[in-house]
Amino acid sequence: AFFFVLWLYSKGRWMGLGDAKLILASSLLVGYPLSIAAFLFSFWTGGIIGIGLILLHGRNKIKYLIPFGPFILLGSLLAYIFGGSFLIWSGLIYLL
């Protein structure tokens, strides 16, 4: 619901509806606690790549949009593999 509201509020400029659907599907695949880790991993990997592109090409030269779908899939895969350990290590498991 968070990503649908994000899409609705931004009118599709920040995140597409396909990304919200992909997050819903991947969250159903990995399950409830791991979907929180997948959410975090997706934004972290996307942020790292985005910052790397800005540093590599310069802030004024980037004129294209970076698709978020691959980061959603990568975050879901990382959550499936490392999510349980991450939730215990970070202490998030006690908040969920």
Side-chain angles (χ1 to χ4, degrees):
F2 171 75
F3 295 102
F4 177 75
V5 171
L6 188 65
W7 169 78
L8 191 65
Y9 179 74
S10 71
K11 297 180 177 81
R13 288 185 308 242
W14 298 340
M15 181 176 288
L17 187 58
D19 292 331
K21 292 176 185 177
L22 184 59
I23 287 174
L24 176 65
S26 65
S27 295
L28 291 174
L29 285 174
V30 297
Y32 164 62
L34 294 181
S35 64
I36 303 297
F39 167 78
L40 291 173
F41 290 156
S42 297
F43 275 96
W44 289 345
T45 55
I48 289 169
I49 297 297
I51 290 170
L53 286 172
I54 289 171
L55 293 175
L56 186 65
H57 295 292
R59 184 178 178 134
N60 296 330
K61 292 183 181 181
I62 295 181
K63 300 292 182 194
Y64 53 89
L65 300 174
I66 302 170
F68 192 55
F71 301 113
I72 295 169
L73 295 176
L74 179 62
S76 298
L77 179 65
L78 290 173
Y80 183 75
I81 297 170
F82 303 111
S85 300
F86 170 74
L87 290 174
I88 292 171
W89 174 79
S90 66
L92 288 174
I93 195 73
Y94 301 115
L95 297 174
L96 304 174

